[in-house]
Amino acid sequence: MTLKVYLSGEIHTDWREEIIAGCAGLDMAFSAPVTDHAASDDCGVAILGPEDSKFWHDHKGAKLNAIRTRRSIEQADVVVVRFGEKYKQWNAAFDAGMAAALGKSLIVLHGAEHQHALKEVDAAALAVAERPEQVAQMLRYVLEGRLPG
Amino acid sequence: MTLKVYLSGEIHTDWREEIIAGCAGLDMAFSAPVTDHAASDDCGVAILGPEDSKFWHDHKGAKLNAIRTRRSIEQADVVVVRFGEKYKQWNAAFDAGMAAALGKSLIVLHGAEHQHALKEVDAAALAVAERPEQVAQMLRYVLEGRLPG
Amino acid sequence: MTLKVYLSGEIHTDWREEIIAGCAGLDMAFSAPVTDHAASDDCGVAILGPEDSKFWHDHKGAKLNAIRTRRSIEQADVVVVRFGEKYKQWNAAFDAGMAAALGKSLIVLHGAEHQHALKEVDAAALAVAERPEQVAQMLRYVLEGRLPG
Amino acid sequence: MTLKVYLSGEIHTDWREEIIAGCAGLDMAFSAPVTDHAASDDCGVAILGPEDSKFWHDHKGAKLNAIRTRRSIEQADVVVVRFGEKYKQWNAAFDAGMAAALGKSLIVLHGAEHQHALKEVDAAALAVAERPEQVAQMLRYVLEGRLPG
Amino acid sequence: MTLKVYLSGEIHTDWREEIIAGCAGLDMAFSAPVTDHAASDDCGVAILGPEDSKFWHDHKGAKLNAIRTRRSIEQADVVVVRFGEKYKQWNAAFDAGMAAALGKSLIVLHGAEHQHALKEVDAAALAVAERPEQVAQMLRYVLEGRLPG
Amino acid sequence: MTLKVYLSGEIHTDWREEIIAGCAGLDMAFSAPVTDHAASDDCGVAILGPEDSKFWHDHKGAKLNAIRTRRSIEQADVVVVRFGEKYKQWNAAFDAGMAAALGKSLIVLHGAEHQHALKEVDAAALAVAERPEQVAQMLRYVLEGRLPG
Amino acid sequence: MTLKVYLSGEIHTDWREEIIAGCAGLDMAFSAPVTDHAASDDCGVAILGPEDSKFWHDHKGAKLNAIRTRRSIEQADVVVVRFGEKYKQWNAAFDAGMAAALGKSLIVLHGAEHQHALKEVDAAALAVAERPEQVAQMLRYVLEGRLPG
Amino acid sequence: MTLKVYLSGEIHTDWREEIIAGCAGLDMAFSAPVTDHAASDDCGVAILGPEDSKFWHDHKGAKLNAIRTRRSIEQADVVVVRFGEKYKQWNAAFDAGMAAALGKSLIVLHGAEHQHALKEVDAAALAVAERPEQVAQMLRYVLEGRLPG
């Protein structure tokens, strides 16, 4: 059966494309949050009307995005969460917490500089990788049982 | 029945004591992570033996702490997550994600400076407060139906 | 074991008191929403600060009340939902839907004039009563196996 | 994967058709209650035989309709509940309660005149819209990540 | 989506064929227990080896049949349970209990002579019919919203 | 912790008393359906008003009894179901099905004459006994680890 | 619907091929752990980098394999667990425990020499077989209702 | 709240007593399987009557013991599984699998000689210890947040 993979977290590099390319030819279906930053921030007010307060502006957008995000996590077999070099990225950690509580297989992807700060998230994961290529290799191994090289 | 409240997140100020004091006399039971920073960081190797690698040092500690943390979240009626001014605090956002996925009532506590970065977490909450005093007032209202003042 | 009963719905007559009095001496624990109408409407802004928009004013209050309401429904063995003569009372029907989805034993209490409009709610209930006294008699029967009179 | 959407509530205007048309070309599957009012009211007795009492007449029909309704809600990713201008519409609020308890993404659709009366239902929703067109725009955004216009 | 229907109970008349024929052309998938009485009774020992004791002979068979039965109930949207005129048929009532506990839509099919003895089973059902034709009409109505005739 | 045991099924002999007496002094809590046959049959109409039709008369009673029965099964650690010598006892088999689907430990109690007819129910049980005394011995063993004699 | 079968346990004989061949032509989908022993042992370090300690070497591999294993068990209708003649095979018993807790239909396959040591595992199974051929016959019977020969 | 700990596995050394003694004075409740080997093996036939076949002799006993074991695992916050030096101990690994599938915090206790064979079980655990004293220290830390020494 198709392996369903949700690619959560950082949206400013092309790590998703790298993983998807690395899994070419395999029976997998990838999903992701909306990665158009502007659309993601403004979707709520763009469709449902403007808000004076920044809090409610963001609130309407975050809730609309949650329809997509939660569905993707709930339907996924594997949730990959990527922490990049910048920003707070609390939504990434939040997604990881949801994935863990729902019993999803969690893979965390981050650089060594975040190791200590992410130790609780890593502790809930079935794998911790540093490079997208490793994630693709793992997904391939999970489906086909063959190691790279 | 006793209202069970888990106080997750920041461990460097006395916000927990403030909430607990503000709820004095009410039928509530509070739980919290281990807030002794050194013990929390080193518990794994202190009990189970040292590790050469910092990753596995942290891993053993984070997993041992998870026994306490997950039980507390699973047993709670309300999960309060506090984001302080410093640090990445990804474990706080991770706890919030677990609480949301488990259907717990989530209250988020943070300063206005984190509003945009926490919009996804706030969107999953039933209340967003700026001061511990407000959390105590809400918990009192939830139990007794009386407003402050 | 203590029979836990949540009394949802109409807040302008004393039907809750009537049921509780009718069950005096039995091992039951009753819970209810906040029935102080003004406090219930304004709790959000009173604690968390004012809103310019009526929608968000109500939203903050409704979410805070949901902490109490959902916990009560989740912990209840029996959910009694009362529809009075006035108002839309959509929150009562909403509570009934939650109770049904959670597999709670549902008792609906309403006058004959609402029979047709409530047919979907009644169809999910284990009993439909017209008077609070009947609810007390049923709860007593459920616990003790004895019929009235 | 196909986005499954249940369109619950008001049956006297063409809001369902408007949403479905607005989502033309997208990978979505829509379901709805039986919107033939007479069939919906009489289905129980028409198939299973007549009843003397109006209560049981309605009861048989409401239960038969529940086979369709509950399956639709349980299978849906998104539940849209529309409150029109007339009638009690308690079944709509009941469906919303079921959707909330089952963790479905809930979208509520109603005019401004119902804002206060629906505050508890709105508080459980991920979006509150006034026009069917907005619902179609949101569903499109959830699937494709593109904003209208 | 395909409506999945499990036809449980009596195996000595052709009621299953009647329902299936009555639903011809509809998007439904029917399942049933093994209705070859001898195979059903002896399957355990036929495959796994003989038993001296009648109890274990039956036990091995009943467990093997349970693989099919439970899967069918768990996958079904609707469980139809037929009680015929003869035999104890405790397995039919057992299936009905499983269906009810799993939240399946339950339809019970029996003659008037069993009305009192089946009142607890009927009370858990969404419909009680006397003739297979009525079940087919209901399933058609659930899928298409059209009444017979 | 207290072992919670629900004693379902036959109500015309004193098998419940025998088991309870055999477990004297142990930390157990027993529950049972209403065993006053007349009260159990008529409870619905006695409290909620008469019905012309026998079906609805029984229906109202069976639903009211279900409040007690389902709560008892859901709260039980062990469900004991007794099949006596007479009657259809479909409600006993229905309770056994519910217990099995909810993952409860099921003990079935019946005479050898019902062995073949009860093979599906027995196949779902963790023990099949012929005498109440055996049930008491098993419950004692489960709690204390000591065998009789 | 396709019968999904997970073949867990011993990886040194061709029992999986025997079962699959015995089910040729039937609507079944088989899954299995990675049966390339070397790949299975080293997958973690091969992809994610070497470890000095044997414990963490194995840990990384076992967790990566768990992504495949748990998904297979969760998606399966039937879990077949084979205990061979050699090795501890604790992972096979672990898989059986997971399958039992998740309510999967469990078939255990082992020689008579392991009967006593496997009695707790066998007690949770719906069938205990000695030869792969018997498993194929059972799966065929479950799907088609026909006995061999 | 009382920390509930189930001590599963090896029954020939006093490791349970050591842990319980090491946790003296703490708010914990320990449970365990029946550790009287003879009683555990023969309980089924001692109460329910003899069997000619060793398989069914063991089967009846294993099922009766399962009433105690599963209840203990389901009620536990922490499941500790001890693998000793001898025997197959498949029931210990089976319990670990159940605990993992139910989301329990799992602690595995075994000597270094079993490290490779237990890698899948260890990979599902939150801690792997070699000595009972370490388990007591961890349980104390989980409850009180204080490290030994």
Side-chain angles (χ1 to χ4, degrees):
Chain A
M1 292 177 38
T2 304
L3 185 74
K4 279 164 284 177
V5 182
Y6 181 62
L7 302 169
S8 167
E10 192 237 338
I11 61 172
H12 300 93
T13 66
D14 64 351
W15 67 277
R16 285 187 181 81
E17 288 65 34
E18 219 177 311
I19 290 173
I20 293 170
C23 295
L26 296 173
D27 184 13
M28 296 191 193
F30 292 93
S31 61
V34 172
T35 55
D36 174 338
H37 200 150
S40 171
D41 266 13
D42 298 332
C43 61
V45 296
I47 295 174
L48 296 168
E51 294 290 331
D52 293 335
S53 137
K54 185 71 168 67
F55 182 86
W56 296 118
H57 176 114
D58 282 351
H59 197 72
K60 280 162 88 167
K63 279 191 162 169
L64 180 46
N65 285 313
I67 298 178
R68 179 178 174 120
T69 305
R70 292 183 194 182
R71 176 178 177 250
S72 298
I73 294 177
E74 284 165 14
Q75 291 180 343
D77 297 309
V78 178
V79 174
V80 181
V81 185
R82 161 80 170 171
F83 292 84
E85 292 171 21
K86 293 185 293 187
Y87 306 108
K88 292 290 187 183
Q89 306 179 82
W90 282 320
N91 58 327
F94 182 82
D95 281 2
M98 289 196 73
L102 296 172
K104 303 295 172 181
S105 288
L106 178 66
I107 295 177
V108 189
L109 179 58
H110 62 81
E113 71 278 14
H114 290 327
Q115 181 269 317
H116 186 66
L118 280 170
K119 64 184 196 291
E120 286 87 3
V121 178
D122 288 353
L126 287 177
V128 180
E130 295 204 14
R131 301 185 314 277
E133 173 198 15
Q134 293 172 310
V135 176
Q137 290 173 346
M138 287 191 284
L139 295 176
R140 182 174 290 274
Y141 174 75
V142 164
L143 253 201
E144 302 216 319
R146 253 175 303 150
L147 291 177
Chain B
M1 291 177 39
T2 305
L3 186 75
K4 280 165 281 177
V5 181
Y6 181 61
L7 302 170
S8 168
E10 192 236 340
I11 61 171
H12 300 93
T13 65
D14 64 350
W15 67 277
R16 284 184 182 83
E17 287 67 32
E18 217 176 314
I19 290 174
I20 294 171
C23 295
L26 295 174
D27 184 12
M28 295 190 193
F30 292 93
S31 61
V34 172
T35 55
D36 173 341
H37 199 152
S40 171
D41 265 13
D42 298 332
C43 61
V45 297
I47 295 174
L48 296 169
E51 294 291 332
D52 292 335
S53 137
K54 185 69 167 69
F55 181 86
W56 297 120
H57 176 114
D58 281 352
H59 196 72
K60 280 162 90 166
K63 277 190 164 170
L64 180 45
N65 284 315
I67 298 178
R68 177 178 174 122
T69 305
R70 292 183 194 182
R71 176 179 178 248
S72 297
I73 294 175
E74 284 165 12
Q75 291 180 342
D77 297 308
V78 178
V79 173
V80 181
V81 184
R82 160 82 171 168
F83 291 84
E85 291 170 21
K86 294 186 292 190
Y87 307 109
K88 291 292 188 184
Q89 307 181 79
W90 282 321
N91 58 329
F94 182 81
D95 280 2
M98 291 197 71
L102 296 172
K104 303 296 173 179
S105 288
L106 179 65
I107 295 176
V108 188
L109 179 58
H110 63 79
E113 72 278 15
H114 290 328
Q115 182 269 317
H116 186 66
L118 281 169
K119 66 184 193 293
E120 286 88 2
V121 179
D122 288 354
L126 288 177
V128 180
E130 295 204 13
R131 302 185 312 277
E133 173 197 16
Q134 293 171 312
V135 176
Q137 289 172 347
M138 285 190 285
L139 295 175
R140 182 175 290 274
Y141 174 75
V142 165
L143 253 200
E144 302 216 319
R146 253 175 302 148
L147 292 177
Chain C
M1 290 178 40
T2 305
L3 186 75
K4 280 165 283 175
V5 182
Y6 181 60
L7 302 170
S8 169
E10 190 237 341
I11 61 170
H12 299 94
T13 65
D14 64 350
W15 66 278
R16 286 185 181 82
E17 287 66 32
E18 216 176 316
I19 290 174
I20 294 170
C23 294
L26 295 173
D27 184 13
M28 296 190 192
F30 291 93
S31 61
V34 172
T35 54
D36 173 339
H37 200 151
S40 172
D41 265 13
D42 297 332
C43 61
V45 296
I47 296 174
L48 296 168
E51 294 292 331
D52 290 337
S53 137
K54 186 69 170 66
F55 181 86
W56 298 118
H57 176 113
D58 282 351
H59 197 71
K60 280 162 91 166
K63 278 190 164 171
L64 180 45
N65 284 316
I67 298 179
R68 178 178 175 122
T69 304
R70 292 183 194 183
R71 175 178 178 248
S72 297
I73 293 177
E74 285 166 12
Q75 291 181 342
D77 297 307
V78 178
V79 173
V80 181
V81 184
R82 160 81 171 170
F83 291 85
E85 290 171 23
K86 294 185 292 189
Y87 306 110
K88 291 291 187 183
Q89 308 181 82
W90 282 321
N91 58 327
F94 182 81
D95 280 2
M98 291 197 71
L102 295 171
K104 303 296 173 181
S105 287
L106 179 66
I107 295 176
V108 188
L109 179 59
H110 63 80
E113 72 278 16
H114 290 327
Q115 182 270 319
H116 186 66
L118 280 169
K119 66 184 194 294
E120 286 87 3
V121 179
D122 288 352
L126 287 176
V128 180
E130 295 204 14
R131 301 185 312 276
E133 172 197 16
Q134 292 172 312
V135 176
Q137 289 172 346
M138 286 192 283
L139 294 175
R140 182 174 289 275
Y141 174 75
V142 164
L143 254 201
E144 303 217 317
R146 252 175 304 147
L147 291 178
Chain D
M1 292 176 39
T2 305
L3 186 75
K4 280 163 283 176
V5 182
Y6 181 60
L7 302 170
S8 167
E10 192 237 338
I11 61 172
H12 300 93
T13 66
D14 65 350
W15 67 278
R16 285 185 181 82
E17 287 66 32
E18 217 177 315
I19 291 175
I20 294 170
C23 294
L26 296 172
D27 184 12
M28 295 190 192
F30 292 94
S31 60
V34 173
T35 55
D36 173 340
H37 200 149
S40 172
D41 266 12
D42 297 332
C43 61
V45 297
I47 296 175
L48 296 169
E51 293 291 331
D52 292 336
S53 135
K54 186 69 168 67
F55 181 86
W56 297 118
H57 176 113
D58 282 350
H59 196 73
K60 281 163 90 166
K63 279 190 163 170
L64 179 46
N65 284 315
I67 298 179
R68 178 178 175 121
T69 305
R70 293 182 193 182
R71 175 178 178 249
S72 298
I73 294 177
E74 284 165 12
Q75 292 181 342
D77 296 308
V78 179
V79 173
V80 181
V81 184
R82 160 82 171 169
F83 291 84
E85 291 171 21
K86 293 185 293 185
Y87 306 108
K88 291 292 187 184
Q89 306 181 79
W90 282 321
N91 58 327
F94 182 81
D95 280 2
M98 290 198 73
L102 296 171
K104 304 295 173 182
S105 287
L106 178 66
I107 295 176
V108 188
L109 180 58
H110 63 80
E113 73 277 15
H114 290 327
Q115 183 269 319
H116 186 67
L118 280 169
K119 66 183 194 293
E120 286 86 4
V121 178
D122 287 353
L126 287 177
V128 179
E130 295 204 15
R131 302 186 310 278
E133 172 197 17
Q134 294 172 310
V135 176
Q137 290 174 345
M138 287 191 283
L139 294 175
R140 182 174 290 272
Y141 173 75
V142 164
L143 252 201
E144 303 216 315
R146 254 177 301 148
L147 291 178
Chain E
M1 293 177 37
T2 304
L3 186 75
K4 280 164 282 175
V5 182
Y6 181 60
L7 302 170
S8 168
E10 191 236 340
I11 62 171
H12 300 94
T13 66
D14 65 351
W15 67 278
R16 284 185 182 80
E17 287 66 33
E18 215 175 318
I19 290 174
I20 294 170
C23 294
L26 296 173
D27 184 12
M28 295 190 194
F30 291 94
S31 61
V34 172
T35 55
D36 173 340
H37 200 151
S40 171
D41 266 12
D42 297 332
C43 61
V45 296
I47 296 174
L48 296 168
E51 294 290 333
D52 292 336
S53 135
K54 186 69 167 66
F55 181 85
W56 297 118
H57 177 112
D58 282 350
H59 196 72
K60 281 163 90 166
K63 279 189 163 171
L64 179 45
N65 283 315
I67 298 178
R68 178 179 175 120
T69 304
R70 294 184 192 182
R71 176 179 178 248
S72 298
I73 293 176
E74 284 166 12
Q75 292 181 342
D77 297 309
V78 179
V79 173
V80 181
V81 184
R82 160 82 171 169
F83 291 85
E85 290 171 22
K86 292 186 292 187
Y87 306 110
K88 290 291 187 184
Q89 307 180 78
W90 283 321
N91 59 328
F94 182 81
D95 280 2
M98 290 197 73
L102 295 172
K104 303 295 172 183
S105 287
L106 179 66
I107 295 177
V108 188
L109 180 57
H110 62 79
E113 72 278 15
H114 289 327
Q115 182 270 319
H116 186 66
L118 280 169
K119 66 185 194 294
E120 286 87 3
V121 178
D122 287 354
L126 287 177
V128 180
E130 295 204 14
R131 302 186 311 277
E133 172 196 17
Q134 292 171 310
V135 175
Q137 290 173 345
M138 286 191 284
L139 294 175
R140 183 173 289 274
Y141 174 75
V142 164
L143 252 202
E144 304 217 316
R146 253 176 303 147
L147 291 178
Chain F
M1 291 176 39
T2 305
L3 186 75
K4 280 164 283 176
V5 182
Y6 181 60
L7 302 169
S8 168
E10 190 237 340
I11 61 172
H12 300 94
T13 66
D14 65 351
W15 67 277
R16 286 185 182 83
E17 288 67 32
E18 216 176 316
I19 290 174
I20 293 170
C23 294
L26 295 173
D27 184 12
M28 295 190 192
F30 291 94
S31 61
V34 173
T35 54
D36 173 340
H37 200 150
S40 171
D41 266 13
D42 297 332
C43 61
V45 295
I47 296 175
L48 296 168
E51 294 291 333
D52 291 337
S53 134
K54 186 71 168 68
F55 181 86
W56 297 119
H57 175 114
D58 282 351
H59 197 71
K60 280 162 92 168
K63 279 191 162 170
L64 179 46
N65 283 315
I67 298 179
R68 178 178 175 122
T69 304
R70 293 183 193 183
R71 176 178 177 248
S72 297
I73 293 176
E74 284 166 12
Q75 292 182 341
D77 297 307
V78 179
V79 173
V80 182
V81 184
R82 161 81 172 171
F83 290 85
E85 292 171 23
K86 294 185 291 188
Y87 306 110
K88 291 292 186 184
Q89 306 180 80
W90 282 320
N91 59 326
F94 182 82
D95 280 2
M98 290 197 73
L102 296 172
K104 304 296 172 181
S105 288
L106 180 65
I107 295 176
V108 188
L109 179 59
H110 63 80
E113 72 278 15
H114 290 326
Q115 182 270 319
H116 186 66
L118 281 170
K119 67 185 194 292
E120 286 87 4
V121 178
D122 288 353
L126 287 177
V128 180
E130 295 204 14
R131 302 184 311 279
E133 171 197 17
Q134 293 172 311
V135 176
Q137 289 173 347
M138 287 191 283
L139 294 175
R140 182 174 290 274
Y141 173 76
V142 164
L143 252 201
E144 303 216 316
R146 253 175 302 147
L147 291 177
Chain G
M1 291 177 38
T2 305
L3 186 74
K4 280 164 282 176
V5 182
Y6 181 61
L7 302 170
S8 168
E10 192 236 341
I11 62 172
H12 300 93
T13 66
D14 65 351
W15 67 278
R16 285 185 182 81
E17 288 66 33
E18 215 175 317
I19 290 174
I20 294 170
C23 294
L26 295 173
D27 184 12
M28 296 191 193
F30 292 94
S31 61
V34 172
T35 55
D36 174 338
H37 200 153
S40 172
D41 266 12
D42 298 332
C43 60
V45 296
I47 296 174
L48 296 169
E51 294 291 332
D52 293 336
S53 137
K54 185 70 168 67
F55 181 86
W56 297 119
H57 176 113
D58 282 351
H59 197 71
K60 280 162 90 166
K63 278 190 165 171
L64 180 45
N65 285 315
I67 298 178
R68 179 179 174 119
T69 305
R70 293 184 193 182
R71 177 179 177 248
S72 298
I73 294 176
E74 284 166 12
Q75 291 181 343
D77 296 309
V78 178
V79 173
V80 181
V81 184
R82 161 81 172 169
F83 291 84
E85 291 171 21
K86 293 185 294 188
Y87 307 109
K88 291 292 188 184
Q89 307 180 82
W90 282 321
N91 58 328
F94 182 81
D95 280 1
M98 289 196 74
L102 296 172
K104 302 295 172 182
S105 288
L106 179 66
I107 295 177
V108 189
L109 180 58
H110 63 80
E113 72 278 15
H114 290 327
Q115 181 269 318
H116 186 65
L118 280 169
K119 67 185 193 292
E120 286 87 3
V121 179
D122 288 353
L126 287 177
V128 179
E130 295 203 14
R131 302 185 311 278
E133 173 198 16
Q134 292 172 311
V135 176
Q137 290 173 346
M138 286 191 283
L139 295 175
R140 183 174 290 273
Y141 174 75
V142 164
L143 254 201
E144 303 216 318
R146 251 175 304 148
L147 291 176
Chain H
M1 292 178 38
T2 304
L3 185 75
K4 279 164 283 178
V5 182
Y6 181 61
L7 302 169
S8 167
E10 189 237 340
I11 61 171
H12 300 95
T13 65
D14 64 350
W15 67 276
R16 286 185 182 82
E17 287 67 33
E18 217 176 315
I19 290 174
I20 293 170
C23 294
L26 295 173
D27 184 13
M28 294 190 193
F30 292 93
S31 61
V34 172
T35 55
D36 174 340
H37 200 151
S40 171
D41 266 11
D42 298 332
C43 61
V45 296
I47 296 174
L48 295 169
E51 293 291 332
D52 291 336
S53 136
K54 184 72 168 66
F55 181 86
W56 297 119
H57 176 114
D58 282 352
H59 197 73
K60 281 163 90 167
K63 280 192 163 169
L64 180 46
N65 284 315
I67 298 178
R68 178 178 175 121
T69 305
R70 293 183 192 181
R71 177 178 177 249
S72 297
I73 293 176
E74 284 165 12
Q75 292 181 341
D77 296 308
V78 178
V79 173
V80 181
V81 184
R82 160 83 172 168
F83 291 85
E85 292 170 21
K86 293 185 290 189
Y87 306 108
K88 291 291 188 185
Q89 306 180 80
W90 282 321
N91 58 326
F94 182 82
D95 279 3
M98 290 197 72
L102 295 172
K104 303 296 174 181
S105 287
L106 179 65
I107 295 176
V108 188
L109 179 58
H110 63 80
E113 73 277 15
H114 289 328
Q115 182 269 318
H116 186 66
L118 280 170
K119 65 184 195 293
E120 285 87 3
V121 179
D122 288 354
L126 287 177
V128 180
E130 295 203 13
R131 302 185 310 278
E133 172 197 16
Q134 293 171 311
V135 176
Q137 289 172 346
M138 286 191 284
L139 295 175
R140 181 175 290 273
Y141 173 76
V142 164
L143 252 201
E144 303 216 316
R146 254 176 302 148
L147 292 177

